[in-house]
Amino acid sequence: MDQFNNIGLIGRMGSVRVVETLRRLIAMLNAEDYHAVIEERTATLMSDHGLQVASRKLIGEICDLIIVVGGDGTLLAAARELAKANVPILGVNRGRLGFLTDITPEDLEERVLNVLRGDYVEEQRFLLDAHVRRNGEPIGFGTALNDIVLHPGRSMRMIGFDLHVEGQFVYSQRSDGLIVSTPTGSTAYSLSAGGPIMHPRLDAIVLVPMYPHTLSSRPIVVDGNSEIKIVIGEDNETYPRISCDGQLDITCAPGDSITIVKKPFKIRLIHPTNHNFYATCREKLGWASQISES
């Protein structure tokens, strides 16, 4: 187990509840003699924090653990920037669903202290990189922990594109787009589009068509190390976009290619020892609980 001494704090902007939780965390860390470092944007939420301030890049280099306070979107953004630092990340949920941020404010101090004392489980999640090229030249790049999505943007027109996996042609399709999802993202946008739920430990990628113009088009699960290439049809009248975790958009043109591959760095997610993926699904997705025997 890692020894956590320097604890980084990152919070979602614009939330009174996040500030309240950060104050509780800071008070607890100070009382337990941990060295807390607050990310520079998060520091603007509180003028009286009294902590060392560091940039998002530096905080990953100097801290042994990063605690992210917010929703899954906040953790997704932090994960993309911190993956290369190889620093473990612990999420405190002050958002909605909270598949990744699984500590609740109700048991904040107890759960976080248990983690700091070595009572936790760790799992690694892979990310995807998207390289957009025009006439062979790079024009855009993005990283995603959940999904990379080809979509029409503001246009209502379908997108025509070719899909290749590991250099092999899969199909030509006309649809509203394509979701390329990691197991982490399989409980997010991919699920809403009819994709399968994948256990986080799977080394696989799912390709989910969005409203395809054929009833026979279905999600495809491929090896996690596959190279996926999407080529935008030359006859498209619209300029579709590539979205990474819904937080970064790259505008594409007819003829552009998007190559998607696994990122060489993984993120390290920390959970309390009672973390259970299926229990999280039951709670967040409204699955039925076990029927008690009479």
Side-chain angles (χ1 to χ4, degrees):
M1 290 288 182
D2 291 327
Q3 184 173 357
F4 304 132
N5 296 310
N6 301 309
I7 314 301
L9 300 175
I10 296 175
R12 179 164 63 90
M13 304 299 291
S15 169
V16 174
R17 296 188 305 165
V18 166
V19 173
E20 173 197 346
T21 301
L22 284 168
R23 291 192 185 281
R24 288 171 58 188
L25 274 173
I26 292 168
M28 183 203 70
L29 293 171
N30 287 338
E32 297 290 331
D33 292 327
Y34 288 98
H35 178 226
V37 181
I38 192 166
E39 185 258 347
E40 58 186 1
R41 282 173 286 181
T42 307
T44 63
L45 298 173
M46 298 178 292
S47 59
D48 56 346
H49 55 76
L51 303 179
Q52 177 184 348
V53 179
S55 66
R56 184 74 61 104
K57 182 177 184 296
L58 182 60
I59 204 171
E61 296 174 358
I62 64 176
C63 290
D64 310 308
L65 173 71
I66 304 294
I67 301 177
V68 176
V69 181
D72 285 350
T74 310
L75 194 142
L76 288 171
R80 290 194 303 271
E81 297 183 59
L82 295 170
K84 193 173 182 179
N86 196 37
V87 59
I89 301 173
L90 175 68
V92 176
N93 186 22
R94 295 265 38 179
R96 292 188 293 273
L97 275 180
F99 266 97
L100 301 173
T101 49
D102 50 8
I103 290 182
T104 62
E106 289 73 26
D107 50 10
L108 175 71
E109 286 84 0
E110 178 186 358
R111 290 291 182 85
V112 173
L113 272 177
N114 286 341
V115 168
L116 294 176
R117 292 166 180 167
D119 190 14
Y120 64 86
V121 293
E122 178 181 328
E123 61 181 9
Q124 295 191 342
R125 305 281 185 97
F126 71 84
L127 302 95
L128 296 173
D129 283 339
H131 303 264
V132 183
R133 294 181 175 86
R134 183 169 299 158
N135 299 320
E137 297 297 322
I139 64 162
F141 171 80
T143 296
L145 174 59
N146 266 357
D147 47 47
I148 294 169
V149 181
L150 171 69
H151 64 97
R154 295 180 180 178
S155 172
M156 297 298 290
R157 293 180 179 270
M158 284 189 166
I159 306 166
F161 61 91
D162 293 342
L163 174 66
H164 303 259
V165 176
E166 286 293 279
Q168 297 183 347
F169 174 68
V170 180
Y171 53 55
S172 293
Q173 185 176 104
R174 288 189 60 79
S175 67
D176 282 359
L178 184 72
I179 302 170
V180 181
S181 172
T182 67
T184 301
S186 70
T187 52
Y189 191 31
S190 169
L191 182 62
S192 300
I197 293 175
M198 297 193 291
H199 194 281
R201 286 201 297 267
L202 283 175
D203 188 4
I205 297 169
V206 64
L207 313 174
V208 183
M210 298 165 59
Y211 298 102
H213 202 229
T214 170
L215 295 178
S216 61
S217 189
R218 292 290 183 266
I220 303 173
V221 179
V222 300
D223 185 88
N225 294 306
S226 300
E227 179 188 272
I228 296 155
K229 186 175 182 180
I230 304 166
V231 181
I232 309 298
E234 294 277 4
D235 58 349
N236 276 282
E237 298 178 4
T238 184
Y239 282 64
R241 297 180 182 179
I242 285 290
S243 173
C244 299
D245 283 346
Q247 298 180 356
L248 169 69
D249 263 3
I250 304 167
T251 301
C252 302
D256 286 358
S257 67
I258 303 100
T259 302
I260 299 170
V261 293
K262 182 189 289 184
K263 196 174 189 67
F265 310 104
K266 294 183 178 182
I267 69 159
R268 300 167 59 194
L269 274 186
I270 297 292
H271 301 286
T273 51
N274 67 343
H275 173 74
N276 180 309
F277 174 71
Y278 302 110
T280 302
C281 288
R282 283 197 304 275
E283 177 188 355
K284 307 299 182 182
L285 301 178
W287 289 0
S289 299
Q290 185 174 355
I291 299 173
S292 301
E293 294 183 4
S294 56

